[in-house]
Amino acid sequence: MSLPGSCIVQRGALDQLFGALRRRGYTVLGPTVREQAIVYDEISCSAELPEGWTDEQDGGRYRLRRRDDRALFGYNVGPHSWKRYQLPPEQLLWSARRDAHGGLADLRQQAPRAPRYAFLGARSCELHAMGILDRVLLGGARPDPAARARAADVFVVAVQCAQAGGTCFCVSMGTGPTAEGGFDIALTEVLEDPQRHYFLAEIGSERGAEVIDEVEHAPAGDPERDAASAAHARAAAQMGRELDVTDIRDLLYRNYEHPRWDDVAERCLSCGNCTMVCPTCFCTTVEDVTDLSGEHVERRQRWDSCFTVDYSQIHAGPVRASTRSRYRQWMTHKLATWIDQFGSSGCVGCGRCITWCPVGIDITEEVQAIRASESGAAGASGPTDGAGAGGAAGEVGAGGAAAAGR
Amino acid sequence: MQTLDELIAHSPVFAGLPAAHLELIAGCGINERFEAGSYLFREGHAADRFYLIREGSIALEVDIPGHGRRVLETLGQGEVVGWSWLFAPYRWQFDGRAAHATHVIAFDGACLRGKCDSDHELGYELMRRFAASMVERLQATRLQLLDVYGGAHVA
Amino acid sequence: MSPEIVAGPMVPEQFTLAAKRRDTADTWTLELQAPSGERSRFAPGQFAMLSAFGSGEVPISISGDPGDGRLAHTVRAVGPATRAICAVEPGQMLQVRGPFGRPWPLEDLAGADVLVLAGGIGLPPLRPAILALLADRARYGRLTLLYGSRSPEQLLYPQELEQWSARGLEVELTVDSAGPEWVGHVGVVPRLVRRAELDPEGTVALLCGPEVMMRFAVAALAQRGIGAERVYASMERNMQCGIGLCGHCQLGPTLICRDGPVYRWSELERWLAIREL
């Protein structure tokens, strides 16, 4: 099947895209500014996008800053990921009333009725994350039926990054910055001057082509394609971090007792922020909640984190009682055991865990420290110098100043 | 009918010793039988012998005021019971009771100590074997101390 | 956003508690009858997620006879969920999901001598295997059970142990501590391994008990010439979903609910050596 390829959509026509999606019954979710962060929420028009905003990200740091242009997508990823729509933070599994014999009466287990969502603004790393999470939830012997129902119908309008963030390392993880597939439409924003503001729209599916047909568009010429490619290349060159994935699984398997774990344990607060913001962390817990009478029960599933002490509780106590062991569990799962469990890395290089860690623990730096001392390099790299792992400086965004003032 | 030498040679703790040593050891030994429930030794008494169990079982016991008698460990066929004959003040630390009708070879401690003093090679070989047995029992005792099975304590 | 209701493998079936027997001060054996009297099918070594109304689910090994169509579980009451389960009376209901997990590899044991090592509450997960082996006695060589508990009062299934002995299972019992009226062994299960009569080349071991006891037992088995590739153990970790989706039961790269609970010890050795893995 050969799809139309790509075309140009002017900035002024973007709201027609919202209209086309709405007419098909999609609820559009996209980035918007809330409480000094760019989060994902229902949006109804382009005016609700973070026009003219960019973000500054570094270990333990996230700030919004005004750009000197009116780019709609001139920032990277915020604290939200699309995970909350694949695996809701809280779900009611079933509810029931107690019958005379302590059994379940009036058991309610209806089929899921999720709204039909269109994700507008999904980045390449996020598309990979969604694929990874789908493999976890749907790839096993007993797939999560609600996840299956949700996955089927999401309409994806991806945005190709034109700049990289201070904590981004998708290039290292092979997940970006340019999405090759997994979208219905992918937009690259080109803002050459206030008068020339358009999107190169790549068509990724038949329904993507049908939607674009309802939006004013024009054929894409070489200058436009070149401008888009330049934007992609710019993003690839600006990565804030690097993670050497050579032999990463066996590197970590060899180093469960490395002294670096003690080092990170002194900094880690075991707060679990990383697991909340990570787009692939999938752990949940199941609880029965009764009303005061004890006659009605709801069995609920909610997000959990391997950083909690009772995550690994067996009847005598937790298996992972120390912060050291819990941090090690998270990091080795993400980068190593995930590969054996699900056939790929669990990390997409989005950098959220670095940005949203209150003490700025940097997964790329931790890997580098272990790798460096294994190969006998003099001295373990410390968390002090700003270059961090791989030395790539954290530049933020086209038109933004280099990240400073850590 | 096996001689003492032959019986000793087949036991795990003495197996592999040269015939000359076996003869020396056997020279300190004598067959004995104990009825079920009878005591071979008592805490505090002079420890002038030790036992190699041929058949049956010996329970190491301690008496705790208010709790009565508790069995700490049982030893069975092929095992050596008694170390206190090796070290001054040569006093038994626990009670030893035949849990079943038990057939042992009882060794005279002073006799064997004397032979080890004269023949250091014999002494070294015996110490090595006894030490291995003590290590194995110490390790098992440590696991026993962990009280791993859990569950409510019965009043 | 209102919570959504989902269907599927997290919805339990309702079983009737047909009979309940108290085994020790804090342990009960529950026999469960499936809805509309249908036969329950499970393989020895599998587990189910059990709950009493509104009290939360726990994973409990199935300890019943695979041949008689009923689920049975021996449950120790140690927390709110298990206490609620043990408080249910015959005629009332329990919620059950399962069976889950990889069972004991009984089909691979034909012709072998099978040495079963059980510690404490580790005997119930082995009971279905023992019953299956005894039901087909001629297929196997020597069958031996070495079973330890804290005290004589805490030994499970005392009458059955005698019946099994009569059916061709050699049974040796040991306790950590006893009064003088106990004439059996006192000491840990690994000590019994040292003394057991066995042909190492032809023996396969099945273990279940506290993890530290299993580690010592494996060392004792190795000393007798039974290597880790011929030792199978049932492992335990925190489980929430039982179906490989919640992440809790990870032990290194493996998920115990899905890849276990029964493992060949050689698969796990390197992971069990890592503290707080």
Side-chain angles (χ1 to χ4, degrees):
Chain A
M1 173 179 75
S2 156
L3 292 167
S6 52
C7 59
I8 302 297
V9 175
Q10 296 298 325
R11 158 65 180 101
L14 195 63
D15 281 301
Q16 297 169 27
L17 177 60
F18 283 84
L21 292 169
R22 220 177 1 254
R23 278 192 297 278
R24 282 167 174 69
Y26 289 106
T27 300
V28 179
L29 300 169
T32 192
V33 176
R34 278 235 200 304
E35 296 176 59
Q36 300 176 67
I38 294 172
V39 301
Y40 294 135
D41 205 342
E42 284 184 36
I43 54 174
S44 55
C45 60
S46 65
E48 293 178 21
L49 291 167
E51 181 178 37
W53 286 104
T54 188
D55 54 25
E56 286 178 3
Q57 299 197 39
D58 201 348
R61 183 189 160 86
Y62 181 96
R63 295 285 186 279
L64 290 189
R65 206 170 40 75
R66 274 262 164 232
R67 298 172 62 91
D68 54 18
D69 63 24
R70 300 182 67 191
L72 296 177
F73 298 105
Y75 43 84
N76 290 97
V77 296
H80 285 186
S81 67
W82 305 103
K83 169 171 90 167
R84 65 194 305 114
Y85 304 105
Q86 285 174 285
L87 181 67
E90 195 173 305
Q91 289 186 77
L92 175 64
L93 296 175
W94 49 262
S95 66
R97 183 178 58 75
R98 183 194 196 108
D99 72 18
H101 303 285
L104 305 175
D106 303 339
L107 181 74
R108 295 184 64 216
Q109 34 160 334
Q110 298 155 359
R113 285 172 294 109
R116 297 172 75 220
Y117 285 128
F119 294 168
L120 170 65
R123 306 304 177 101
S124 180
C125 60
E126 302 187 297
L127 301 183
H128 283 266
M130 289 193 274
I132 289 169
L133 200 50
D134 273 348
R135 207 170 308 133
V136 172
L137 298 176
L138 306 178
R142 290 185 180 84
D144 180 334
R148 175 178 294 280
R150 284 190 198 96
D153 203 34
V154 174
F155 190 103
V156 178
V157 180
V159 161
Q160 308 284 26
C161 296
Q163 71 283 313
T167 54
C168 289
F169 58 102
C170 63
V171 168
S172 296
M173 304 312 294
T175 56
T178 307
E180 317 266 304
F183 51 80
D184 294 292
I185 301 168
L187 302 174
T188 304
E189 185 168 29
V190 179
L191 184 52
E192 284 161 359
D193 56 59
Q195 279 70 50
R196 289 277 295 152
H197 187 179
Y198 61 89
F199 298 89
L200 181 81
E202 298 165 71
I203 311 301
S205 70
E206 278 202 35
R207 65 182 186 179
E210 285 165 19
V211 165
I212 281 296
D213 263 350
E214 296 181 24
V215 178
E216 271 179 58
H217 60 277
D222 283 339
E224 289 89 16
R225 272 192 267 268
D226 288 346
S229 297
H232 302 164
R234 200 165 56 233
Q238 285 177 349
M239 290 288 132
R241 298 291 196 271
E242 247 180 65
L243 198 161
D244 182 357
V245 293
T246 312
D247 196 36
I248 182 84
R249 189 196 62 173
D250 290 334
L251 172 73
L252 293 177
Y253 279 5
R254 285 194 298 273
N255 284 288
Y256 271 94
E257 301 298 344
H258 196 284
R260 185 69 185 194
W261 301 118
D262 298 308
D263 188 295
V264 71
E266 280 175 27
R267 293 172 275 138
C268 175
L269 305 178
S270 200
C271 71
N273 261 17
C274 48
T275 58
M276 298 292 111
V277 297
C278 173
T280 62
C281 274
F282 62 86
C283 289
T284 53
T285 190
V286 179
E287 297 169 329
D288 281 355
V289 180
T290 54
D291 62 4
L292 284 177
S293 69
E295 297 298 307
H296 294 89
V297 66
E298 291 185 345
R299 182 163 290 172
R300 295 176 165 272
Q301 182 182 85
R302 60 171 175 77
W303 287 2
D304 199 355
S305 171
C306 55
F307 280 94
T308 65
V309 175
D310 51 10
Y311 180 86
S312 63
Q313 186 89 15
I314 47 180
H315 77 86
V319 173
R320 297 181 205 113
S322 67
T323 299
R324 170 188 182 270
S325 64
R326 297 197 297 276
Y327 185 86
R328 181 183 67 183
Q329 161 63 24
W330 178 73
M331 194 174 121
T332 56
H333 186 209
K334 193 63 57 186
L335 296 173
T337 58
W338 199 294
I339 297 172
D340 281 330
Q341 290 170 6
F342 302 110
S344 77
S345 178
C347 178
V348 297
C350 71
R352 286 183 179 89
C353 57
I354 304 170
T355 297
W356 296 98
C357 173
V359 298
I361 291 168
D362 183 336
I363 194 174
T364 66
E365 200 174 285
E366 299 308 313
V367 169
Q368 181 55 26
I370 291 172
R371 200 184 275 288
S373 55
E374 249 221 350
S375 61
S381 61
T384 51
D385 65 324
E395 276 205 55
V396 177
R406 291 191 185 88
Chain B
M1 175 79 176
Q2 283 182 304
T3 61
L4 275 184
D5 294 36
E6 284 161 355
L7 286 169
I8 292 165
H10 287 118
S11 69
V13 67
F14 297 123
L17 283 170
H21 285 165
L22 289 172
E23 209 184 304
L24 283 171
I25 297 167
C28 298
I30 180 174
N31 265 304
E32 280 196 18
R33 286 179 191 275
F34 292 88
E35 277 174 20
S38 61
Y39 281 83
L40 287 79
F41 50 87
R42 292 283 198 180
E43 181 183 338
H45 289 197
D48 46 15
R49 44 197 355 220
F50 68 98
Y51 303 94
L52 173 64
I53 300 175
R54 288 182 57 182
E55 206 184 327
S57 144
I58 293 175
L60 286 184
E61 241 182 39
V62 68
D63 186 292
I64 307 170
H67 288 266
R69 291 182 285 144
R70 299 300 298 171
V71 177
L72 300 163
E73 191 175 4
T74 55
L75 299 156
Q77 181 171 32
E79 300 197 277
V80 167
V81 185
W83 308 115
S84 302
W85 62 277
L86 276 169
F87 305 107
Y90 311 119
R91 299 252 162 229
W92 288 105
Q93 301 297 304
F94 300 102
D95 296 342
R97 171 177 52 81
H100 301 103
T102 298
H103 188 177
V104 301
I105 301 173
F107 295 92
D108 181 332
C111 165
L112 196 50
R113 277 203 312 276
K115 290 190 183 177
C116 289
D117 286 339
S118 321
D119 180 348
H120 282 183
E121 245 190 73
L122 170 67
Y124 173 68
E125 279 303 316
L126 284 183
M127 288 299 148
R128 229 167 39 84
R129 287 144 188 278
F130 291 150
S133 182
M134 290 180 209
V135 164
E136 188 252 311
R137 297 242 276 269
L138 177 60
Q139 288 167 350
T141 302
R142 283 171 169 160
L143 177 58
Q144 203 172 342
L145 272 179
L146 286 175
D147 190 23
V148 291
Y149 295 130
H153 282 272
V154 178
Chain C
M1 182 166 120
S2 64
E4 299 158 308
I5 301 175
V6 305
M10 295 302 287
V11 178
E13 286 181 79
Q14 310 215 53
F15 280 61
T16 306
L17 180 61
K20 178 167 126 173
R21 178 188 75 223
R22 186 174 202 159
D23 294 307
T24 71
D26 60 357
T27 310
W28 282 261
T29 293
L30 311 173
E31 274 177 51
L32 305 179
Q33 179 63 57
S36 50
E38 67 216 38
R39 288 177 67 82
S40 293
R41 282 185 214 298
F42 64 93
Q46 290 192 301
F47 67 95
M49 299 297 289
L50 293 190
S51 64
F53 187 90
S55 301
E57 273 185 334
V58 281
I60 308 279
S61 290
I62 302 171
S63 51
D65 185 338
D68 77 4
R70 272 192 176 185
L71 282 192
H73 295 270
T74 298
V75 184
R76 171 184 281 162
V78 290
T82 45
R83 275 196 285 272
I85 289 167
C86 291
V88 174
E89 291 299 331
Q92 298 196 304
M93 316 284 282
L94 282 166
Q95 284 80 54
V96 179
R97 289 194 299 119
F100 300 128
R102 190 166 68 163
W104 300 107
L106 300 181
E107 63 290 342
D108 294 344
L109 301 183
D113 291 347
V114 185
L115 178 63
V116 180
L117 304 186
I121 201 79
L123 181 59
L126 285 162
R127 180 173 178 273
I130 291 169
L131 292 171
L133 295 170
L134 289 176
D136 205 359
R137 182 70 188 83
R139 245 164 88 89
Y140 308 98
R142 179 177 217 143
L143 297 181
T144 311
L145 168 64
L146 307 180
Y147 169 40
S149 81
R150 174 193 269 156
S151 68
E153 296 74 32
Q154 296 190 345
L155 288 166
L156 296 171
Y157 319 140
Q159 282 101 353
E160 266 200 286
L161 293 171
E162 284 183 33
Q163 290 165 15
W164 294 345
S165 192
R167 289 171 67 186
L169 176 73
E170 294 171 38
V171 178
E172 296 284 350
L173 305 176
T174 188
V175 293
D176 280 352
S177 159
E181 66 288 343
W182 172 255
V183 293
H185 300 291
V186 175
V188 294
V189 169
R191 295 219 77 226
L192 295 185
V193 171
R194 289 180 195 283
R195 304 211 279 257
E197 266 186 57
L198 45 84
D199 160 34
E201 310 271 299
T203 301
V204 174
L206 307 181
L207 313 188
C208 187
E211 206 167 297
V212 62
M213 171 223 143
M214 292 201 284
R215 292 206 309 264
F216 274 68
V218 167
L221 288 166
Q223 281 223 336
R224 293 297 308 266
I226 300 169
E229 70 289 347
R230 278 185 290 125
V231 175
Y232 294 87
S234 180
M235 304 301 296
E236 181 197 358
R237 283 293 184 273
N238 190 339
M239 285 186 198
Q240 298 274 318
C241 70
I243 55 176
L245 293 177
C246 75
H248 284 253
C249 65
Q250 288 177 74
L251 175 66
T254 188
L255 288 172
I256 292 186
C257 71
R258 181 195 66 185
D259 308 322
V262 174
Y263 290 89
R264 200 188 288 250
W265 193 266
S266 49
E267 290 176 279
L268 291 183
E269 238 172 342
R270 61 171 296 192
W271 302 107
L272 292 174
I274 301 168
R275 282 165 200 68
E276 290 193 289
L277 181 66

